[in-house]
Amino acid sequence: MKIKNIVFFFPSKQTGGAQYLFIRYSIFLCKYAPQYKVMYVDYADGFAKKQLMNENVFFYEYKQHSKIRIPNDSVVIFQLNRISDFKNEIEYDVQHTSFMFWYLHVTNLHDQVFARGVYLLNKKDRKKIGNCIDYLIDNDTIKLMGKTDYFDFNKDFFIGSHDVDIIPYILPIDNFPAVQLRTTLSLDSVRFCWLGRLDEEKSRNIVTYFNEIEELHKQYSVSLSIIGVGPAMSLLKAEAKKYSFPIFFVGEKRDAELDSYIRNNVDIGLASGTSSLEFGFRGVPVIEQWVISQIYNSGECRDYTHVYDRYKYDERDLVNKINVTQNTFLNKFEEIISNYSATTQKSYEFSIQYTPETGGKKFLDSIRKLECLYSVNSVRSIDIMSSLLIKANLRREFLSRAKQILSLRTIRELISK
C-alpha cells in the first residue's frame, strides 16, 4: 500500500512529552517530506491545534462519541495504549489504511492487563498478545523509542528478543541560541527544577523529590521550581507547605519562555523522558527517576540516574532493566557538585543527539518499511490484541464491582479460567 497521508491521533488539551513528540514530527514532515499530507486529530482547543497553528497541517476536530473518517492511503499513528479501543474512534477502509502504534510509556499495555495485584488475563491469553507484539514489532507496526524497550513487555507477555529500529525523541535544537556550558556551580544557592505534567502519577515523583531536597536542605541552600500544570497542582501546592526550603510553582512554560527560564534559573533538572532532554540540551545536568508506585522518604529510593546513563543496563538481567549506575538521590547530587563541568558536558552531548534530522530519517524509513510490510497478518495481529485487551478491560470493570463481596483468591480463580 502506498502511503500518502500521515495521521497523528492524539487529542489532548494538556502539555506532555507524548504531545510534543507527535507535534515535532508533524513539523518535521511538513518541512522535509512534502510528498505526504500531514493530518492531526485534536480537540478544537487542543494543545497540538494551538502549537501547529502556523504549520501546514490539516486538522480533524475530535469529539467524543463521534468517529473520524480516515482517508484512503493513510497511516494512522496512535500511542500503543489505544490499540484496545482505536476502532471506536475512527472509520476507515481496511484495505487502504495502515497503523502504527507507538510505545511511549511503560504503562501503555501493563495497566490494561494488571490491576489490584492480579493479572486480568491468564497466561495463555497474555502469550497470545506477546505473539502479536513480536510480529508487529518485526513488521514496523509497533514502534519503540529505545533499543531495550521490548524488555518491558517480557514480564507481562513473554515476548522474544528483537533487533529493533527505534524512532527516538526529537528536540527543536535549531530553534534556540547556542549554549554556553557552565563549568561551576555555586553551593550558596542550588536551584533544582522539575519539568513535566502535574498528574497523579508524576505527583509521587515530585513529593519524593520534596523529601530528598528537604534532607539536602540541612547542609545546602536549595530551592525547587516546578514547571508544569495539571490536575494534581492543588494537592502539590498543599503538600509543598510542609517543607522548609523554597518551592515555586511557576506554571507552564513553552518554547522561548521555557528556554530562557532553564538557562537563567536552573542548576539541576529533575525529570524523565523528553523533559530530561529539554534540560540536557541547554547544558543543565539532570537527575532522572522514572515511574514509581509510591512516595518515598529521603534515602529510601535507589533508582536515580543521570540522563546520560539512562541506557546503561546490567546485561546479565536485561529482562528487569536494572541500570548499573542507579543510586540514591544524594549520590547523584554529590556526583554533580563534585564535577559540575563534566556532568554538564555529558548531559549536553547526550541530549543533542536527538536532532530532528536524525529522528526524521528514522521516521521516514519506518513509513517506507510499513508500506512493504503491512499486511493481512498485521491486521489480524492488531485484531487479536484488541479483542484480548477489551476482554481484560471488561474484567477490570467486573473486578471494580466485585471487590467488595469477593475475596482476592476467588477473583484470581475466576480470571485464571
Side-chain angles (χ1 to χ4, degrees):
M1 185 190 99
K2 183 67 175 175
I3 294 172
K4 298 179 181 178
N5 310 301
I6 299 177
V7 184
F8 292 93
F9 195 105
F10 204 113
S12 175
K13 298 182 182 181
Q14 296 183 351
T15 308
Q19 291 90 325
Y20 271 119
L21 183 76
F22 279 38
I23 288 167
R24 288 169 179 172
Y25 273 106
S26 297
I27 293 171
F28 172 85
L29 291 168
C30 288
K31 290 182 177 178
Y32 300 108
Q35 67 270 33
Y36 298 109
K37 184 174 183 179
V38 182
M39 305 176 179
Y40 206 112
V41 178
D42 199 8
Y43 293 99
D45 57 347
F47 178 63
K49 181 74 179 293
K50 297 172 184 176
Q51 291 289 300
L52 294 169
M53 190 175 300
N54 298 320
E55 304 294 336
N56 189 27
V57 176
F58 178 85
F59 273 90
Y60 290 104
E61 182 180 345
Y62 177 78
K63 297 178 181 178
Q64 288 185 323
H65 312 301
S66 178
K67 291 186 176 184
I68 302 291
R69 178 66 196 180
I70 303 298
N72 287 348
D73 307 318
S74 296
V75 55
V76 189
I77 302 175
F78 291 93
Q79 187 172 189
L80 180 57
N81 63 308
R82 300 306 301 268
I83 199 168
S84 59
D85 68 351
F86 75 97
K87 292 182 181 179
N88 298 331
E89 305 284 10
I90 59 175
E91 294 177 350
Y92 61 98
D93 185 334
V94 71
Q95 301 295 325
H96 297 280
T97 310
S98 57
F99 296 92
M100 183 184 290
F101 295 93
W102 221 336
Y103 176 57
L104 302 181
H105 196 284
V106 68
T107 64
N108 275 177
L109 292 183
H110 174 78
D111 282 6
Q112 296 198 48
V113 299
F114 190 83
R116 301 183 185 278
V118 299
Y119 278 107
L120 302 170
L121 296 174
N122 60 33
K123 190 172 183 179
K124 181 180 178 182
D125 282 344
R126 288 185 284 125
K127 281 186 174 180
K128 287 181 182 178
I129 292 177
N131 291 335
C132 294
I133 293 172
D134 280 326
Y135 181 86
L136 294 172
I137 288 177
D138 288 339
N139 287 271
D140 265 58
T141 300
I142 289 179
K143 296 304 299 184
L144 309 179
M145 302 195 72
K147 288 286 187 182
T148 56
D149 280 355
Y150 65 87
F151 285 113
D152 293 338
F153 297 134
N154 190 275
K155 289 182 181 178
D156 296 330
F157 306 109
F158 318 102
I159 76 167
S161 62
H162 290 267
D163 183 16
V164 296
D165 292 321
I166 67 169
I167 304 180
Y169 302 103
I170 57 174
L171 302 170
I173 292 171
D174 296 338
N175 294 354
F176 302 103
V179 174
Q180 183 68 43
L181 297 180
R182 288 179 286 172
T183 58
T184 59
L185 171 65
S186 171
L187 296 181
D188 292 336
S189 177
V190 180
R191 300 168 298 176
F192 289 96
C193 180
W194 160 269
L195 172 61
R197 64 186 183 276
L198 307 185
D199 59 14
E200 180 182 358
E201 175 195 303
K202 298 297 185 183
S203 69
R204 295 191 289 270
N205 297 89
I206 295 170
V207 176
T208 298
Y209 282 127
F210 286 173
N211 294 335
E212 303 284 15
I213 297 172
E214 179 75 2
E215 186 66 22
L216 284 185
H217 189 41
K218 296 177 181 178
Q219 301 181 58
Y220 301 97
S221 175
V222 294
S223 64
L224 171 65
S225 55
I226 296 176
I227 302 175
V229 294
M233 180 179 284
S234 296
L235 178 151
L236 289 167
K237 284 185 174 181
E239 191 71 19
K241 295 177 181 178
K242 302 176 184 178
Y243 296 86
S244 61
F245 65 94
I247 300 174
F248 309 104
F249 290 82
V250 298
E252 188 170 29
K253 296 186 182 298
R254 306 173 187 168
D255 305 323
E257 188 181 14
L258 176 64
D259 184 72
S260 176
Y261 190 89
I262 291 176
R263 291 173 190 253
N264 297 312
N265 300 279
V266 182
D267 299 312
I268 300 174
L270 308 173
S272 61
T274 308
S275 295
S276 294
L277 302 176
E278 296 282 357
F279 287 120
F281 95 81
R282 294 175 171 96
V284 174
V286 187
I287 299 176
E288 285 196 319
Q289 183 187 56
W290 296 81
V291 178
I292 56 176
S293 59
Q294 66 180 71
I295 295 169
Y296 290 93
N297 293 321
S298 175
E300 285 185 343
C301 197
R302 300 181 62 88
D303 65 356
Y304 297 99
T305 62
H306 298 299
V307 62
Y308 49 81
D309 287 333
R310 65 165 52 166
Y311 297 126
K312 293 183 179 178
Y313 299 117
D314 183 349
E315 294 185 1
R316 297 166 299 178
D317 189 10
L318 284 173
V319 171
N320 291 310
K321 292 182 72 173
I322 298 173
N323 191 303
V324 296
T325 72
Q326 67 185 26
N327 210 314
T328 62
F329 185 85
L330 177 60
N331 172 268
K332 295 304 162 187
F333 173 74
E334 289 178 340
E335 288 178 353
I336 290 173
I337 65 173
S338 66
N339 197 337
Y340 192 72
S341 177
T343 54
T344 296
Q345 182 74 34
K346 287 190 284 188
S347 300
Y348 174 75
E349 290 176 352
F350 178 84
S351 300
I352 60 170
Q353 300 176 81
Y354 294 88
T355 63
E357 291 78 10
T358 301
K361 182 182 183 302
K362 292 181 180 295
F363 185 92
L364 292 174
D365 286 346
S366 290
I367 295 297
R368 286 188 285 267
K369 289 179 183 177
L370 195 63
E371 288 181 325
C372 300
L373 296 174
Y374 196 82
S375 67
V376 64
N377 290 325
S378 301
V379 174
R380 185 179 297 115
S381 295
I382 292 170
D383 286 344
I384 291 171
M385 280 189 68
S386 181
S387 297
L388 288 170
L389 292 171
I390 289 171
K391 179 180 177 180
N393 285 324
L394 290 173
R395 287 181 168 177
R396 180 191 305 278
E397 294 174 8
F398 165 78
L399 178 59
S400 180
R401 293 193 302 269
K403 65 178 182 178
Q404 301 296 329
I405 56 175
L406 296 177
S407 69
L408 186 60
R409 179 178 177 181
T410 301
I411 290 170
R412 283 177 173 153
E413 289 172 350
L414 288 169
I415 288 173
S416 68
K417 294 179 180 178

